[in-house]
Amino acid sequence: MTIRKITGAMLLLLAGYLPAQASDTIRVSRNECITIALQENPTIRVADMEVKRMDYSKRETLANLLPSIDFSGSYQRAIELQTVSMDLGGQSQKFKMGMDNNWNFGFSAQMPLVNAQLWKALQMSDTQILSTLEASRASRIDLVNNINKSYYALLLAIASRDVVRDNYAVAQMNADIYRKQFEQGTASEYDVLRSSVQVKNYEPELLQADIAIKQASLMLKMLMGVDNAVTVMPNVTLKDMQREMYGYHLGTERNLAQNTQLRSLDIQTKLLRQNLQSKKFAWIPTLGISYGLNWMSMSNGNPFKNQEFNPYSNVALGLNVPIFNGLGRLNAVKQAKIQLQEMDFQRENLVNNLNMQVDLAMDNINRQVRQIASSEEGMKQARKAYEIMQKSFEIGAASYLDLRDAEIANTASQLAYHQAIYNFLVSTSELDALLGKEDALGIPVNSSTAK
């Protein structure tokens, strides 16, 4: 067993999703799938690590406000001493200047006292952390939406398989009826062969239904981050979901405040506004302080003998007043202003698009509610018609073609009913993701909004 498999199994066991005895199949609810996915999915782990990385980036910016201390040292050996010429009493004299060995080492410390751009950079780091937190939140909401859709797809695949399995059982029963009638001389061999072929025709459909269930289960496990050796199955049916789905509030308030795209855009706008202020701060003078403590020694001959290191130190204030740089700072400010104007237009366009998507989503949900009611009524009628035709067929009052038509109508009505429930559930999940709703289990949300 791999470490991931052991971890996943322990998590499921501790959460109460596995029985005490070893089992290859676990049955979980949708909320349990979400809980496991938020802990095990690699995408969520990467998003959390990115938040931690941005926190270290902020600390790196903060370090620029603190003193920086460095140590440096150097040794210089003269190959040829410098010759100096001097005019002494009308005569030019030359002599060598300097010594063979020159040692110099010491400590230096610098700290900014006034640096408006650096202070603004620290605020921008906070905003970047907010942006990363919102990206992490968006990843969680997207994961919850994908988990929901995969879970519903698995329910639909199981429901469709059950319909095909029931039809297969009925086809076998009809084939047995024809076989007995043929033995009694009341049915033709053609009827026996036709009913037997119908049984064989259902076998590929059953195989395809099993493959669809396996694929849906694999997709769900991949999103959950669970090992492939464990089989994940839902603990409810699509019919159960119909009874629960009416708790969904159809009169959803149109509130885009939690939409991840809009929140991210607002944070980016806040970051651009801070960037504009930082560009303006480039005109503000900067002031810094520095201190140096050094030791120096000069000697001739052996560089390791007769060395006398003499200390010296100094402290200094440095003032930098920007005056002119070819209008570079002015153009940078104008560029930042244009970016802010672009963001205003982008936000207006995004809000219009989001409102349109919400309208379409709510229309789809309302239409699918009516579709479910209509499909359910049609399924009941088709089922009743099929049962009547089945009884008629058993007593010889209906032909096999009549029974086959009723069977096809009954199958189609059941599949349409299950598909309608699936469409409704997927649409509600998409709308929740669009509005940025928090899952019932709780997805962390930063209450700060960029204004």
Side-chain angles (χ1 to χ4, degrees):
M1 295 178 65
T2 62
I3 295 178
R4 178 171 292 277
K5 181 177 178 181
I6 295 174
T7 304
M10 290 180 62
L11 176 64
L12 293 170
L13 182 59
L14 292 175
Y17 306 147
L18 281 177
Q21 67 276 14
S23 176
D24 293 332
T25 302
I26 59 173
R27 296 194 173 274
V28 292
S29 67
R30 180 182 62 89
N31 286 345
E32 291 167 349
C33 291
I34 294 174
T35 300
I36 298 172
L38 291 177
Q39 298 177 8
E40 296 296 318
N41 187 274
T43 302
I44 301 303
R45 291 183 175 184
V46 171
D48 292 339
M49 293 176 66
E50 188 65 14
V51 173
K52 188 175 182 180
R53 185 186 70 83
M54 291 305 301
D55 182 58
Y56 285 127
S57 177
K58 176 188 174 181
R59 296 182 185 183
E60 180 184 4
T61 304
L62 180 61
N64 294 325
L65 297 175
L66 303 177
S68 62
I69 302 175
D70 301 300
F71 173 82
S72 62
S74 66
Y75 166 74
Q76 181 179 347
R77 175 73 179 186
I79 304 300
E80 182 68 28
L81 295 178
Q82 183 180 3
T83 301
V84 179
S85 297
M86 298 185 66
D87 188 4
L88 299 176
Q91 294 182 356
S92 177
Q93 296 185 5
K94 298 180 179 180
F95 57 90
K96 300 293 184 178
M97 183 177 181
M99 293 187 176
D100 297 338
N101 306 304
N102 190 343
W103 291 87
N104 194 343
F105 64 89
F107 297 91
S108 62
Q110 299 87 25
M111 186 179 72
L113 297 179
V114 177
N115 194 324
Q117 280 191 303
L118 190 57
W119 299 338
K120 183 56 65 175
L122 188 60
Q123 293 182 2
M124 294 175 66
S125 296
D126 290 333
T127 307
Q128 289 173 344
I129 291 177
L130 285 179
S131 179
T132 307
L133 286 172
E134 185 59 34
S136 176
R137 174 177 175 267
S139 298
R140 282 170 162 76
I141 291 178
D142 185 61
L143 176 62
V144 170
N145 184 31
N146 289 330
I147 286 286
N148 288 340
K149 292 190 291 186
S150 296
Y151 193 83
Y152 299 149
L154 181 57
L155 290 177
L156 178 62
I158 294 174
S160 300
R161 191 271 312 273
D162 292 341
V163 171
V164 175
R165 181 179 291 174
D166 292 342
N167 291 336
Y168 179 71
V170 172
Q172 287 181 318
M173 182 184 67
N174 293 332
D176 292 338
I177 292 175
Y178 266 122
R179 190 177 300 108
K180 293 178 181 179
Q181 291 178 350
F182 175 73
E183 293 173 354
Q184 297 174 359
T186 58
S188 64
E189 185 178 3
Y190 172 74
D191 292 331
V192 175
L193 293 175
R194 182 171 57 181
S195 60
S196 298
V197 169
Q198 184 61 33
V199 173
K200 294 297 182 182
N201 289 339
Y202 274 118
E203 292 178 357
E205 295 184 19
L206 276 175
L207 179 60
Q208 186 64 35
D210 290 334
I211 293 175
I213 292 175
K214 184 176 181 180
Q215 291 176 341
S217 179
L218 287 175
M219 177 59 70
L220 183 59
K221 287 191 294 183
M222 182 189 70
L223 293 172
M224 293 171 60
V226 177
D227 193 271
N228 287 334
V230 179
T231 301
V232 176
M233 297 298 288
N235 64 352
V236 295
T237 64
L238 205 59
K239 183 71 174 178
D240 298 329
M241 297 300 296
Q242 182 200 9
R243 289 191 290 267
E244 297 177 2
M245 71 185 187
Y246 292 110
Y248 186 83
H249 183 50
L250 294 180
T252 302
E253 181 182 355
R254 184 190 302 276
N255 185 3
L256 298 176
Q258 298 301 322
N259 177 267
T260 57
Q261 290 179 280
L262 193 59
R263 287 169 60 95
S264 296
L265 188 65
D266 288 340
I267 293 175
Q268 290 301 317
T269 302
K270 180 179 180 180
L271 191 61
L272 287 177
R273 191 174 293 111
Q274 291 175 341
N275 181 59
L276 174 60
Q277 294 176 349
S278 177
K279 299 296 184 184
K280 293 179 179 179
F281 286 169
W283 275 287
I284 299 178
T286 59
L287 179 65
I289 186 173
S290 61
Y291 173 77
L293 176 61
N294 297 272
W295 289 265
M296 185 178 67
S297 175
M298 300 177 66
S299 65
N300 290 318
N302 193 322
F304 300 105
K305 292 183 178 181
N306 302 322
Q307 299 296 327
E308 182 178 356
F309 291 94
N310 299 306
Y312 67 96
S313 61
N314 59 73
V315 62
L317 288 175
L319 176 65
N320 182 24
V321 181
I323 297 177
F324 180 75
N325 70 338
L327 300 179
R329 287 184 288 268
L330 179 61
N331 291 326
V333 169
K334 291 181 177 179
Q335 179 182 352
K337 288 182 178 179
I338 291 177
Q339 288 180 317
L340 273 175
Q341 294 174 357
E342 292 174 350
M343 277 296 185
D344 290 337
F345 289 116
Q346 291 180 17
R347 192 182 194 282
E348 180 181 358
N349 183 56
L350 178 60
V351 169
N352 292 335
N353 288 335
L354 291 175
N355 283 327
M356 181 185 65
Q357 293 179 38
V358 171
D359 288 337
L360 291 175
M362 296 182 70
D363 288 343
N364 287 335
I365 291 175
N366 291 327
R367 185 176 65 254
Q368 286 155 5
V369 169
R370 295 190 296 268
Q371 181 66 33
I372 291 174
S374 176
S375 299
E376 186 175 16
E377 183 63 26
M379 181 182 65
K380 292 178 181 179
Q381 295 176 355
R383 182 65 182 178
K384 184 175 181 179
Y386 174 73
E387 291 174 352
I388 294 174
M389 193 59 63
Q390 180 69 36
K391 295 296 183 181
S392 300
F393 172 75
E394 292 176 0
I395 63 176
S399 66
Y400 183 76
L401 291 178
D402 295 333
L403 178 63
R404 181 60 181 155
D405 290 340
E407 180 184 344
I408 292 175
N410 181 49
T411 301
S413 65
Q414 292 183 65
L415 294 178
Y417 168 69
H418 294 147
Q419 186 69 43
I421 297 177
Y422 169 79
N423 292 340
F424 173 86
L425 295 173
V426 170
S427 296
T428 55
S429 179
E430 291 283 359
L431 180 59
D432 288 345
L434 182 62
L435 296 177
K437 286 187 175 182
E438 308 308 321
D439 188 81
L441 300 174
I443 301 175
V445 168
N446 193 298
S447 58
S448 302
T449 56
K451 297 296 183 183

